[in-house]
Amino acid sequence: MRDHLLAVRSEKAPCQTTIAEAIMSSREVGPSNSASPRELTQNPLKKIWMPLPCKNGLPEKHISQRKVCMTNCPTLIVTVGLPARGKTYISKKLTRYLNWIGVPTREFNVGQYRRECVKIYKSFEFFRPDNEEGLKIRQQCASAALNDVRQYLADEGGQVAVFDATNTTRERRQTITAFAEQNGFKVFFVESVCEDPVVIAENIVQVKLGSPDYMNCNTEEAMEDFKKRIECYENSYETLDEVWDRHLSYIKIIDVGRRYLVNQVQDHIQSRIVYYLMNIHITPRSIYLCRHGESDLNVKGCIGGDSGLSPRGREFAKYLGKFIESQDISDLKVWTSQMKRTIQTAEAVSVPYEQWKALNEIDAGVCEEMMYEEIQQHYPLEFALRDQDKYRYRYPKGESYEDLVQRLEPVIMELERQENVLVICHQAVMRCLLAYFLDKTAEELPYLKCPLHTVLKLTPVAYGCKVESIFLNVDAVNTHRDRPENVEVSRMAEEALLTVPAHQ
Amino acid sequence: MLYGGQVEKIELQQTPLLKIWVPWLGIGGCKISRRRGSSVPQLTNSPTLIVMVGLPARGKTYISKKLTRYLNWIGFPTKVFNLGQYRRDAVQTYKNFEFFRQDNKEAMQIRKACASNALKDICIYFSKENGQVAVFDATNTTRERRVSIVSFAKEKGYKVFFVESICDDPDIIAQNITEVKVSSPDYVNCDKEEALADFLKRIECYKQTYVPLDDEKDRNLSYIKIFDVGSRYLVNRVQDHIQSRIVYYLMNIHVTPRSIYLTRHGESELNLLGRIGGDSGLSPRGHKYAASLGSFLKGQNIKDLKVWTSHMKRTIQTAEHLGVPYEQWKALNEIDAGVCEELTYEEIQEKHPEEFALRDQDKYRYRYPKGESYEDLVHRLEPVIMELERQENVLVVCHQAVMRCLLAYLLDKTSDELPYLKCPLHTVLRLTPVAYGCKMENIFLNVEAVNTHRERPVNVDVTRDPAEALKTIPDHF
């Protein structure tokens, strides 16, 4: 998620918390004087207990620390490998994952810089090792990219930067290491080694042929040229060496994940990166996401709870079963939450299913089983705060979307390991999973449209995900509430309830 | 696994203990076999045989025991089968390293027979004792031995995962020998030098025939090679979820000396009233404890101490007294008692007598209505444990149920023992890894507090009298 890192420097008293203060994910707090411990106040948005600012009304400087990143240094991930070894695929996927779990990450693709510099790509000759002019331009592009990396990590609150380039010579890698050291960044190399001609050819077909470089070529020409391009790098390629590079931190991925060599993992985030990289695969498969069938509480316009399916919900379940059968999916796994409505839905699909507590709907705490009208009536302040920052807002005695994402991380990890899976879940949960697959920001996530009785079929393709939306033709209430215009605490009830969907 | 059917009316019922929805088969319908591990999906089917590989004193037994402890805690029944133990049972007295000489035919026979017996026991563990993972802790240094294990496993339908530990640092090896070998039953009648000398000769016996897992020849096996106590890893062909978890765990543990301090928050206002859960602040005595805790920590002079709390007021107030930075983890929040939040035990007995009885029947798996179970807690705490493994000196300020779960992991307690572990208020537990386990020091900081520990009553029947149910409730205001 593109989270903001904001040091709290507000002059306000704590009860007038600004959005900025609320957004600050203050997991780590500075020291107090043990003789007079600080009073605590609960931040109204995130329901986090924080020490009251003291001393002349000025707040203490909080050491803002992100949840996942328990290091203070930013991390520079450097890809290594010949062309068509999956470096960009890995870079993009890893970036998407890290952002989703709350670590601000950005990728910097040197090829992109080169395309902006050299408007028209002629042929592989640009990459010849003896092409002085070509080399000069490529060096400049790498420098420009590193410059942007520095800006992102040092000035823009980025936590991880992925430097996506071949970086196939020791010399280049030394330059990068020196750059990182100078700037106080940790470095982690991700090398992809593969000699399987089938895999390489498939890569070229999937992502290279459609590249801007080959816009005006036919398939054979492009294929030929790209192969020659790879050859330009081959002679000078120095793989990460067990002895020479034993002090570097890296993971070497061999043959698309058959084997891994992991060296000198320094900290938590690198450990998580390694774990993630070791769980992803590229075997073609599809992920089906849908919500439970319409429930009795849905019909009433109530949120949460643990009710059963309405008659239309049961109808949907039946159609879902038929739909799944018609798709003729090999080895389908079906996952549900532990709430009655998803399990009832799964019962109609004649495939064994697994119940995951982690897939349970967001806990609305004191607002469980209330209609939006009731929430406005009993908790108007909470209702407004939620509209102000729906991602970070935590229900009293409940959860936030941010909490949900953390809860769902093991589900995502297992989804990565699996092949064909149908996940029958809930609105907020499905939004979180969808945001992961479609690379949506924290701002977009809580407003993603996940209507009842609609199956989303996600199929990884090239660098992203193809989405097919299949409405199974059984009517249901709409449960999607858009962000109203007026999110002020002082707003009128009507303004708050303007976007509430119709219900019984 | 539950199977769906073409049922028009999908009737479900919620199991009273685990609060899991299962298809209702009507009166007289046969019960689907009860699912284990309700809060975690069953992600493995075949049993897994983990096979250790490596010269003596390379940490195989350390890894075996630690991994077993972890897997059991997260809900995968696991057991270690240590070949040395089988050998000690077969050959009552250990004379010297000559037993391990390559040319000692008689000894070889015995050792082979022991290996065979161990594998037989593994079979029984999987087929009759519901085991899911077995760790075969032996040197397994020859290709021949490993090939025979692989065919044994193939025949039985077990998955095999090798864990090889490679280390040539003489300091580490000497340290290992001192820590765990010198005090082994083998050397009960020797002094330190004799033991060390003999053990080094023992290692030599294995070195001659040691064939490490090979990049080429063993490319179809699933394994992890650990180099130099974790500075490097080679991972080959991870087959499934459990192997992926094992690899992740092994890559996060370390052997650097350190201590873990566990404590609950200071006594809270709700504690005083005998109420469970909630999010109240500290009582005056609770504040006093927190201040004492601060002094205690200063006295301990701990290097680079990390302090973790939950998101609940009482742990944060406690940490505020310590004068050091702390980190809040939502995962460390107390068990959610659902509809029973902020009730006294007397009120729970009055309002939910059946729930109260069910909880006493199986406290580990019992889930509060709209709340959690200890089993759910363990699942929630797994990332905390993983990070605890990565860290060095840490103080965790948490809650009774949470502390019981963490303690059970560190001290290898079963799920039956876990919910009844004693974690009184105002007491710090200092845990220091030593040899194959954990040394524990219990430090009461001399500030009085209520007792919040409720023992399992004798009568756990749903039909019991309120008096029987309330027999073991601790005093409160």
Side-chain angles (χ1 to χ4, degrees), chain B residues 146-204:
Chain B
R146 296 195 292 265
V147 162
S148 69
I149 295 173
V150 169
S151 22
F152 158 82
K154 195 163 172 200
E155 197 192 298
K156 304 279 179 187
Y158 307 153
K159 287 185 177 173
V160 183
F161 188 73
F162 291 94
V163 177
E164 182 169 24
S165 173
I166 294 176
C167 180
D168 288 312
D169 183 335
D171 290 330
I172 297 178
I173 295 163
Q175 165 87 344
N176 281 359
I177 299 177
T178 315
E179 264 213 40
V180 294
K181 301 297 180 186
V182 161
S183 53
S184 132
D186 289 345
Y187 296 112
V188 87
N189 295 316
C190 303
D191 70 29
K192 259 174 71 178
E193 272 88 50
E194 289 174 336
L196 183 62
D198 183 270
F199 199 85
L200 288 171
K201 293 209 193 83
R202 210 153 111 176
I203 298 178
E204 287 304 311

Side-chain angles (χ1 to χ4, degrees), chain A residues 133-145 171-172 175:
Chain A
E133 201 188 310
L135 276 172
K136 207 166 129 207
I137 295 174
R138 288 155 72 196
Q139 197 118 290
Q140 282 169 355
C141 288
S143 298
E171 184 196 349
R172 167 59 57 85
T175 315

Side-chain angles (χ1 to χ4, degrees), chain B residues 146-374:
Chain B
R146 296 195 292 265
V147 162
S148 69
I149 295 173
V150 169
S151 22
F152 158 82
K154 195 163 172 200
E155 197 192 298
K156 304 279 179 187
Y158 307 153
K159 287 185 177 173
V160 183
F161 188 73
F162 291 94
V163 177
E164 182 169 24
S165 173
I166 294 176
C167 180
D168 288 312
D169 183 335
D171 290 330
I172 297 178
I173 295 163
Q175 165 87 344
N176 281 359
I177 299 177
T178 315
E179 264 213 40
V180 294
K181 301 297 180 186
V182 161
S183 53
S184 132
D186 289 345
Y187 296 112
V188 87
N189 295 316
C190 303
D191 70 29
K192 259 174 71 178
E193 272 88 50
E194 289 174 336
L196 183 62
D198 183 270
F199 199 85
L200 288 171
K201 293 209 193 83
R202 210 153 111 176
I203 298 178
E204 287 304 311
C205 295
Y206 283 92
K207 269 194 178 155
Q208 290 151 25
T209 51
Y210 179 24
V211 178
L213 288 167
D214 185 77
D215 285 355
E216 252 312 298
K217 299 207 178 97
D218 296 314
R219 67 183 176 286
N220 288 322
L221 298 179
S222 298
Y223 63 84
I224 179 172
K225 255 195 215 218
I226 306 171
F227 295 91
D228 297 324
V229 204
S231 65
R232 211 150 68 89
Y233 304 91
L234 211 147
V235 180
N236 197 65
R237 290 199 185 260
V238 171
Q239 299 173 50
D240 61 16
H241 175 88
I242 187 83
Q243 290 180 16
S244 161
R245 295 286 286 276
I246 289 166
V247 165
Y248 185 41
Y249 182 72
L250 292 177
M251 286 176 48
N252 280 314
I253 60 181
H254 67 77
V255 294
T256 312
R258 50 85 170 250
S259 287
I260 297 170
Y261 296 79
L262 298 182
T263 181
R264 290 167 67 188
H265 52 83
E267 182 189 69
S268 75
E269 280 150 15
L270 284 180
N271 284 147
L272 279 178
L273 299 173
R275 294 184 177 281
I276 66 169
D279 193 14
S280 61
L282 297 181
S283 69
R285 295 196 298 195
H287 279 290
K288 197 151 169 251
Y289 168 70
S292 304
L293 181 61
S295 312
F296 167 74
L297 288 174
K298 282 206 177 77
Q300 288 274 299
N301 217 346
I302 308 156
K303 167 176 158 265
D304 283 330
L305 178 71
K306 299 264 160 73
V307 178
W308 296 349
T309 70
S310 69
H311 273 199
M312 296 179 139
K313 192 175 186 184
R314 50 201 188 278
T315 56
I316 297 165
Q317 277 183 317
T318 307
E320 276 288 316
H321 280 268
L322 304 179
V324 292
Y326 56 89
E327 234 187 285
Q328 300 185 20
W329 289 70
K330 187 170 194 275
L332 285 171
N333 278 5
E334 182 57 316
I335 192 172
D336 183 357
V339 301
C340 297
E341 277 284 318
E342 302 197 41
L343 298 184
T344 61
Y345 288 119
E346 292 89 335
E347 287 168 342
I348 300 176
Q349 169 58 32
E350 192 191 309
K351 300 191 165 103
H352 310 278
E354 199 181 296
E355 294 293 328
F356 202 36
L358 282 173
R359 185 158 207 251
D360 285 334
Q361 287 176 20
D362 190 346
K363 198 174 175 191
Y364 183 71
R365 279 166 210 85
Y366 170 82
R367 189 184 276 172
Y368 281 105
K370 303 196 176 175
E372 295 177 301
S373 62
Y374 270 95

